[in-house]
Amino acid sequence: RGFVGLLLIASTPRSCLDVRQFYSGKGFTLNGVPQTEISGEHLRICPQGYTCCTSAMEETLSNLSRREFEGLVREAGRSLQASLNTQYRSFDTYFTDLLNRSERSLQESFLATLGSLYSKNAPVFQDLYADLRRYYRGSAVNLEETLNDFWARLLERLFKASSLPQYTLTDDYLECVAKQTETLRPFGDVPRDLKPKVTRAFVAARSFVQGLTVSGEVVRKVSQVPLSPECTRAMMKLVYCPHCRGLASVKPCANYCRNVMKGCLANQADLDTEWQNLVDTMLQVASSFSADPSVDVVIYSLPIRISEAILYMQENTEVFTSKVFQACGTPRVADTQSSGSEERKKRVNPASTAMEYKPSPTVGVPLEMQISDVSSKLREMQQYWVQLPAALCNSKVAAGAAGDKCWNGMTKARYLPEVMGDGLASQINNPEVEIDITKPDMTIRQQIMQLKIMTNRLRNALNGNDVDFQDASDDISGSGSGMCTGESCARSGPRVIVPKTDSTRYYNPPENKKVKGTGTQTHPSILLPLLSLATLLLRR
């Protein structure tokens, strides 16, 4: 009688109360959910033993596992995008502050020295800084042409103002004068010395922020790749089949989880090589910012170098004028002498025009600190794609599950298969996910190509070669920047967060850095005399 009783107890179907509570807690209706276990021949994914899951429940939970996995990948991607966005804003704020500081230094110094005389000719200098900003922001601006145009316009203004009052200078004549900039070198060695330094600094800065933008866009697109039907089955088996088997409290085995994740994230893992190449190159570009002359010195010394050039021309006006007359001919004598001729002969006291290169007491962000912070964050994300499967398992799915007390896909027992390698080619023998390694995901392949393109641009920037970003949006399918945070990534698409300039924190050049002149050290009061400007800029 006792033996019969044990048989009756053993054959009594177990209650499905736990599964019903779990299923209801996920927001699903309990219609059709068994009260007690039923035979599982109908199951297509989970083991076909006694179960509390119907075919409809299996399908519902399978779809849920797909949505949840895709959500986990997007969440991880948003976290990486947020980090990239933070680095973008940090560097962008630093660089724009530096440029603002340089322009303000020029404006305040020249205006204090010359007053309205500078104001009348200020557009020449303002346009230079405006073009430099536009270039940095990614506009189709040719740096070499911008600098050449600046010196040509400045030469026209200075020559017109400094020429003898008895001559009339037509637009055609001034155009001829401007063409002598390269051959007669009215500004000495400054234009030639400055061009490669400014070009290298701005090419590096623009390529660097573009690299951060493209990286964020790649992450956004790759993180939105949908789960394949085969991976949907594998995720269902990993996450929710234990519930159907009455093992809801048993976590998946760690290696079992890794095999599923490595299989379902195999295409993403193939980003690894080009992703690491991009990060390596960005680190090299970041390091180049502090190379002599550093980016901050190049930009902050722009007013000083311009002043040197003007002073050189003032000191060699007679020689230059003579050579211009030889090249362009002697201009026509004016009918009447300008009434401002006497004013043009005035000289400004050199002491009143002296400007110094010295740090402001305002606290700024040192270049070394900026580079160190950005570089450390880039290194942290360098192995993101190959670390993602283990990260998802450890934090979300299989935390603490090991040994023989974990879900191995069939029951509560040890998981024996070995863990697969990274990437699509390594999944040919994955025991958990059926993957056709001959059919890579095309969206991810396109993003791998974008990483290669961006890396090549950064390498060009390291050599000081101008980089054309005019069609950068086309390279990433017109989707814009990868910079976004939070739900906005999924809701409204990517956006670049451009820092406001009304609360600018101006950067102060470090005291121990020297501003380089044309091959020799420039003394603190090099922005000097500008006594030429008082006489030279009297007329438009």
Side-chain angles (χ1 to χ4, degrees):
R1 187 180 295 177
F3 179 71
V4 173
L6 289 174
L7 287 176
L8 289 173
I9 292 173
S11 61
T12 301
R14 287 184 295 180
S15 170
C16 290
L17 178 61
D18 289 345
V19 174
R20 289 172 64 85
Q21 290 178 344
F22 154 75
Y23 199 68
S24 175
K26 290 292 184 180
F28 304 121
T29 177
L30 291 177
N31 293 338
V33 178
Q35 296 285 348
T36 57
E37 284 185 333
I38 59 176
S39 179
E41 290 87 351
H42 56 278
L43 297 177
R44 300 294 181 90
I45 301 175
C46 299
Q48 295 182 334
Y50 280 98
T51 181
C52 286
C53 290
T54 63
S55 294
M57 291 173 65
E58 187 180 46
E59 182 178 358
T60 299
L61 290 173
S62 178
N63 290 331
L64 175 63
S65 68
R66 172 181 53 79
R67 293 194 301 272
E68 289 180 338
F69 175 78
E70 291 174 350
L72 288 176
V73 175
R74 284 195 299 271
E75 179 185 342
R78 280 194 292 266
S79 177
L80 182 56
Q81 283 179 271
S83 179
L84 287 165
N85 193 28
T86 298
Q87 301 316 307
Y88 173 91
R89 283 183 295 170
S90 175
F91 182 83
D92 184 72
T93 299
Y94 167 82
F95 192 80
T96 52
D97 283 356
L98 188 59
L99 201 52
N100 291 340
R101 175 70 176 170
S102 176
E103 184 174 27
R104 176 172 290 192
S105 173
L106 184 145
Q107 290 173 343
E108 292 178 349
S109 302
F110 282 33
L111 189 60
T113 303
L114 304 167
S116 61
L117 298 178
Y118 165 72
S119 300
K120 292 177 181 179
N121 295 277
V124 176
F125 306 99
Q126 292 169 351
D127 289 348
L128 171 64
Y129 279 91
D131 284 342
L132 291 176
R133 285 191 182 88
R134 288 176 55 234
Y135 175 86
Y136 168 70
R137 291 293 180 201
S139 297
V141 175
N142 185 299
L143 272 181
E144 182 174 354
E145 291 179 2
T146 293
L147 293 172
N148 290 342
D149 182 63
F150 166 73
W151 293 116
R153 290 179 64 196
L154 184 60
L155 177 59
E156 285 186 27
R157 296 293 184 97
L158 298 183
F159 186 82
K160 185 176 180 180
S162 64
S163 64
L164 297 177
Q166 65 267 31
Y167 295 114
T168 297
L169 303 178
T170 64
D171 290 341
D172 288 342
Y173 193 88
L174 289 175
E175 184 177 349
C176 178
V177 174
K179 290 179 180 178
Q180 310 308 312
T181 305
E182 185 66 25
T183 55
L184 301 184
R185 298 171 62 190
F187 299 114
D189 293 328
V190 173
R192 289 185 179 181
D193 179 66
L194 201 58
K195 183 186 294 184
K197 294 175 181 176
V198 170
T199 298
R200 183 177 293 274
F202 276 84
V203 168
R206 183 167 81 160
S207 66
F208 187 75
V209 295
Q210 186 71 14
L212 291 172
T213 302
V214 169
S215 299
E217 179 62 16
V218 167
V219 174
R220 185 185 72 85
K221 285 196 170 187
V222 170
S223 299
Q224 292 179 352
V225 171
L227 198 63
S228 68
E230 293 77 16
C231 278
T232 299
R233 291 174 57 86
M235 289 304 302
M236 168 63 191
K237 188 176 179 182
L238 175 73
V239 178
Y240 289 127
C241 282
H243 292 269
C244 293
R245 289 286 289 168
L247 299 172
S249 62
V250 180
K251 288 284 188 180
C253 298
N255 286 348
Y256 171 38
C257 179
R258 289 192 178 94
N259 270 342
V260 173
M261 293 296 179
K262 281 178 177 285
C264 293
L265 294 170
N267 280 284
Q268 286 87 338
D270 280 345
L271 287 160
D272 179 64
T273 298
E274 293 305 327
W275 180 264
Q276 292 212 42
N277 286 341
L278 177 63
V279 173
D280 277 338
T281 312
M282 290 184 68
L283 287 169
Q284 292 177 49
V285 172
S287 178
S288 74
F289 293 145
S290 58
D292 188 32
S294 61
V295 168
D296 55 347
V297 169
V298 169
I299 294 176
Y300 195 70
S301 64
L302 274 173
I304 299 172
R305 304 311 309 280
I306 293 172
S307 177
E308 287 178 7
I310 294 173
L311 182 60
Y312 181 90
M313 180 177 175
Q314 186 270 332
E315 292 175 343
N316 297 276
T317 297
E318 292 183 5
V319 175
F320 176 71
T321 301
S322 175
K323 291 182 179 180
V324 167
F325 285 178
Q326 292 178 13
C328 302
T330 304
R332 183 173 60 86
V333 177
D335 295 333
T336 58
Q337 183 171 319
S338 170
S339 59
S341 59
E342 291 302 318
E343 186 178 359
R344 278 198 302 273
K345 296 177 183 178
K346 292 180 180 179
R347 309 286 285 189
V348 178
N349 185 342
S352 68
T353 64
M355 293 171 51
E356 295 184 358
Y357 173 76
K358 59 183 180 181
S360 163
T362 309
V363 176
V365 180
L367 177 63
E368 292 79 5
M369 184 181 298
Q370 178 70 34
I371 294 173
S372 175
D373 185 56
V374 171
S375 298
S376 65
K377 293 298 189 300
L378 286 173
R379 290 190 183 94
E380 288 175 6
M381 61 183 71
Q382 195 161 13
Q383 294 186 318
Y384 172 81
W385 297 109
V386 293
Q387 291 176 345
L388 184 58
L392 292 179
C393 285
N394 294 340
S395 63
K396 303 291 184 181
V397 180
D404 57 0
K405 296 182 180 180
C406 55
W407 171 253
N408 66 4
M410 296 298 294
T411 186
K412 181 181 178 181
R414 184 182 298 275
Y415 182 76
L416 299 178
E418 63 177 346
V419 178
M420 297 294 100
D422 299 309
L424 190 61
S426 299
Q427 307 310 310
I428 188 170
N429 294 317
N430 192 314
E432 309 306 332
V433 191
E434 294 181 9
I435 298 177
D436 186 349
I437 65 171
T438 66
K439 295 182 179 179
D441 183 274
M442 294 313 297
T443 297
I444 293 178
R445 297 295 134 172
Q446 290 170 359
Q447 299 314 303
I448 291 175
M449 181 57 64
Q450 296 314 311
L451 294 175
K452 289 183 179 180
I453 292 171
M454 191 64 243
T455 300
N456 286 333
R457 289 175 171 174
L458 286 161
R459 285 171 179 164
N460 281 329
L462 280 172
N463 296 323
N465 296 329
D466 202 352
V467 185
D468 180 18
F469 289 119
Q470 186 175 1
D471 60 349
S473 60
D474 296 335
D475 291 340
I476 49 180
S477 305
S479 54
S481 163
M483 297 294 126
C484 61
T485 56
E487 296 179 354
S488 63
C489 288
R491 223 180 23 244
S492 59
R495 58 191 173 90
V496 174
I497 300 176
V498 180
K500 297 180 180 179
T501 57
D502 54 356
S503 59
T504 301
R505 292 180 296 103
Y506 288 104
Y507 167 73
N508 306 293
E511 294 186 24
N512 62 341
K513 290 197 174 181
K514 305 296 183 181
V515 179
K516 300 294 182 180
T518 56
T520 58
Q521 181 175 318
T522 305
H523 294 287
S525 58
I526 191 63
L527 249 190
L528 75 265
L530 294 194
L531 48 129
S532 58
L533 226 43
T535 25
L536 299 181
L537 301 181
L538 282 166
R539 285 193 296 149
R540 283 180 174 273

